[in-house]
């Protein structure tokens, strides 16, 4: 018996090499094969169930998968053609990738889904990136100044006392000098 079909022992043989089959027999397009012959046919093997893939194949993470076996490493729901995100050899749906590895907004402390504003060595949601003084929305195209490690819009900066603006400018210049590479002279003898 194989897959509820009865076979005479002499007829239960590999389509390719004619050797008698065992319980390890594989079926491909209605024909039966022994494991060695089946493997030589180049039929892809699923990275999850280790069974042959007949039909649609997903190529990802350096392996081949049955469509229904290529799943999120966290929730185990199949991607079914939807986008996946890879990290350390595993695949994740967008929600779980963001939960596990996403940027956290400096302002609201939520995982950022969608675009990230990176400024002042911090990450913000697009809607949270604003002036720390007046809360007006900022973009990276707006001119802003760093004050107390937070962004301040040009309008609020102009209202700062003159002495504070001078100190901030001097600090900014010192930081720029430290960041730029210094020329190295090579003395030849």
């Amino acid at each position: 018996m194989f897959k509820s079909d009865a076979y005479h022992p002499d007829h239960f043989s590999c389509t390719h090499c004619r050797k008698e089959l065992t319980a390890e027999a594989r079926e491909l397009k209605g024909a039966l094969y022994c494991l060695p012959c089946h493997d030589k046919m180049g039929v892809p093997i699923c990275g999850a169930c280790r069974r042959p893939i007949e039909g649609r194949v997903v190529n990802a993470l350096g392996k081949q998968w049955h469509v229904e076996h290529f799943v999120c490493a966290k929730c185990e729901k199949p991607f079914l053609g939807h986008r996946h995100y890879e990290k350390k050899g595993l695949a994740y749906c967008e929600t779980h990738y963001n939960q596990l590895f996403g940027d956290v907004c400096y302002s609201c402390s939520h995982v950022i889904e969608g675009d990230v504003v990176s400024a002042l060595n911090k990450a913000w949601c697009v809607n949270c990136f604003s002036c720390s003084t007046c809360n007006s929305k900022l973009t990276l195209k707006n001119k802003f100044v760093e004050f107390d490690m937070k962004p301040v819009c040009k309008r609020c900066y102009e209202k700062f006392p003159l002495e504070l603006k001078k100190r901030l400018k001097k600090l900014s210049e010192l930081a720029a000098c430290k960041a730029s590479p210094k020329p190295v002279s090579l003395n030849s003898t």
Side-chain angles (χ1 to χ4, degrees):
M1 293 293 286
F2 182 76
K3 292 191 174 182
S4 69
D5 288 330
Y7 289 85
H8 186 273
D10 294 338
H11 297 132
F12 191 60
S13 59
C14 174
T15 303
H16 186 258
C17 71
R18 298 288 176 216
K19 287 184 183 172
E20 188 175 323
L21 295 172
T22 65
E24 294 287 309
R26 298 278 193 240
E27 185 180 4
L28 180 63
K29 297 178 183 167
L32 295 174
Y33 298 92
C34 65
L35 207 52
C37 287
H38 186 269
D39 289 347
K40 288 177 194 168
M41 295 175 75
V43 175
I45 303 297
C46 179
C49 72
R50 309 296 309 146
R51 300 212 22 101
I53 304 170
E54 299 170 18
R56 289 183 42 208
V57 176
V58 174
N59 291 300
L61 306 174
K63 296 180 184 175
Q64 296 176 314
W65 312 81
H66 286 107
V67 174
E68 63 275 11
H69 291 164
F70 185 55
V71 299
C72 172
K74 179 82 173 151
C75 67
E76 298 184 352
K77 288 184 182 172
F79 296 108
L80 301 175
H82 294 284
R83 186 172 180 172
H84 72 279
Y85 299 81
E86 297 179 16
K87 183 80 167 193
K88 296 181 181 175
L90 298 173
Y92 296 91
C93 62
E94 184 174 13
T95 300
H96 289 112
Y97 181 86
N98 285 333
Q99 281 180 357
L100 296 167
F101 311 109
D103 290 312
V104 176
C105 178
Y106 176 77
S107 180
C108 71
S109 300
H110 289 96
V111 173
I112 302 170
E113 292 189 21
D115 292 334
V116 176
V117 176
S118 296
L120 310 175
N121 294 322
K122 296 175 180 67
W124 279 273
C125 304
V126 172
N127 293 331
C128 291
F129 188 59
S130 60
C131 174
S132 61
T133 306
C134 70
N135 289 323
S136 65
K137 277 189 65 145
L138 296 172
T139 68
L140 291 178
K141 292 179 182 175
N142 296 113
K143 296 261 184 186
F144 63 90
V145 177
E146 176 186 339
F147 179 68
D148 196 23
M149 299 296 288
K150 297 174 190 158
V152 174
C153 69
K154 199 81 168 149
R155 199 168 6 118
C156 290
Y157 174 76
E158 294 301 327
K159 295 177 186 173
F160 282 6
L162 184 60
E163 192 58 37
L164 177 59
K165 287 195 280 190
K166 284 181 183 176
R167 278 191 275 146
L168 289 173
K169 185 174 182 179
K170 193 171 189 175
L171 285 171
S172 175
E173 289 169 353
L174 283 172
C177 286
K178 287 181 182 178
S180 65
K182 293 179 173 70
V184 177
S185 62
L186 300 173
N187 295 330
S188 59
T189 53

